[in-house]
Amino acid sequence: IQNLALLTCNNLVRINLSEHTDMMDLLGAESPCDPSKNDGALFKWQDGPLLLAVKNGSWVLLDELNLAQQSVLEGLNALLDHRAEIFIPELNKTFNCSPTFKIFATQNPMNEGGGRKGLPKSFLNRFTKVYMESLTTDDFHHILHTQYDGLPQGLLRSILSFNDAVKRAVSERKIGQSGGPWDFNFRDVTRCIDIIFAYMRTPS
């Protein structure tokens, strides 16, 4: 989505959702302000990232959609259906979506835990669904070889082999029984490589 936005010259606003996110985080709220600069008012409305995107016609990427509260999903309905608008009670005003405004969303499988839940089919039907297969070791190798040009190939293969061994041990319930479920993914591999590069750059 980030690459598509870049290629089509659209501004992308990425919003990470969690079970603690509410509509006020997305749309905005009254915030304390300097009365001398606001006609004596003690509070001033501050637009949230989603409302700003609606006004500016930006693209929005809602990350971890299936961690969001039900109230957030319900609040998004008016943006996703034929109305294409959002009403802000505090302002008593309705904002219509710009023609360039689009919402994208991502979610990980429920079996990864962390409070993820199945979303209502009626809500998911508002999206065009794209399913992504898990990256293979060959995918990891190709991406990381390009991303970390200075990393020795033998070391890269060793890191990927170790990551696969840990994933396999977890899936076979040999390790990681406490505090799971665990997932060892692309993010973990890049963190490992970043640590190695930082160590390599540190003067001895």
Side-chain angles (χ1 to χ4, degrees):
I1 301 303
Q2 289 172 330
N3 286 337
L4 281 174
L6 183 64
L7 290 170
T8 56
C9 300
N10 282 286
N11 181 52
L12 179 67
V13 177
R14 179 173 176 165
I15 302 173
N16 286 88
L17 300 176
S18 75
E19 62 272 25
H20 304 296
T21 306
D22 58 32
M23 286 305 291
M24 186 169 62
D25 297 320
L26 303 181
L27 298 178
E30 296 279 352
S31 300
C33 63
D34 185 350
S36 64
K37 298 179 180 178
N38 292 278
D39 299 324
L42 297 175
F43 293 88
K44 182 181 180 181
W45 176 264
Q46 298 288 333
D47 289 342
L50 181 60
L51 181 56
L52 280 173
V54 168
K55 289 181 174 181
N56 298 331
S58 302
W59 286 10
V60 172
L61 174 58
L62 299 175
D63 197 15
E64 299 282 15
L65 185 64
N66 56 348
L67 286 179
Q69 299 180 48
Q70 182 63 29
S71 59
V72 171
L73 302 180
E74 292 171 358
L76 293 171
N77 270 327
L79 288 174
L80 296 169
D81 64 19
H82 64 281
R83 290 169 288 180
E85 63 184 25
I86 192 75
F87 175 70
I88 309 296
E90 293 85 350
L91 302 177
N92 194 29
K93 189 174 181 181
T94 297
F95 296 89
N96 295 307
C97 297
S98 165
T100 58
F101 174 80
K102 284 182 173 38
I103 290 184
F104 301 86
T106 62
Q107 62 178 27
N108 288 314
M110 286 187 291
N111 59 20
E112 290 190 12
R116 294 179 176 88
K117 55 189 177 295
L119 297 177
K121 188 174 181 181
S122 58
F123 182 80
L124 289 177
N125 284 342
R126 301 188 187 281
F127 293 88
T128 299
K129 293 180 282 293
V130 178
Y131 295 92
M132 303 294 292
E133 296 290 337
S134 297
L135 293 174
T136 65
T137 301
D138 287 341
D139 294 329
F140 277 29
H141 188 277
H142 177 76
I143 295 169
L144 293 168
H145 175 59
T146 304
Q147 188 173 348
Y148 296 94
D149 189 37
L151 189 69
Q153 289 300 295
L155 179 57
L156 176 56
R157 282 191 291 270
S158 295
I159 293 170
L160 293 176
S161 295
F162 175 76
N163 190 67
D164 284 343
V166 173
K167 286 172 63 176
R168 189 163 53 253
V170 170
S171 67
E172 294 172 356
R173 304 180 67 82
K174 294 179 180 177
I175 61 172
Q177 296 307 298
S178 177
W182 304 106
D183 179 47
F184 295 86
N185 52 37
F186 186 76
R187 187 180 293 116
D188 301 299
V189 176
T190 56
R191 284 174 178 162
C192 177
I193 295 174
D194 287 338
I195 291 171
I196 291 172
F197 265 105
Y199 177 78
M200 291 169 61
R201 295 189 190 103
T202 302
S204 55

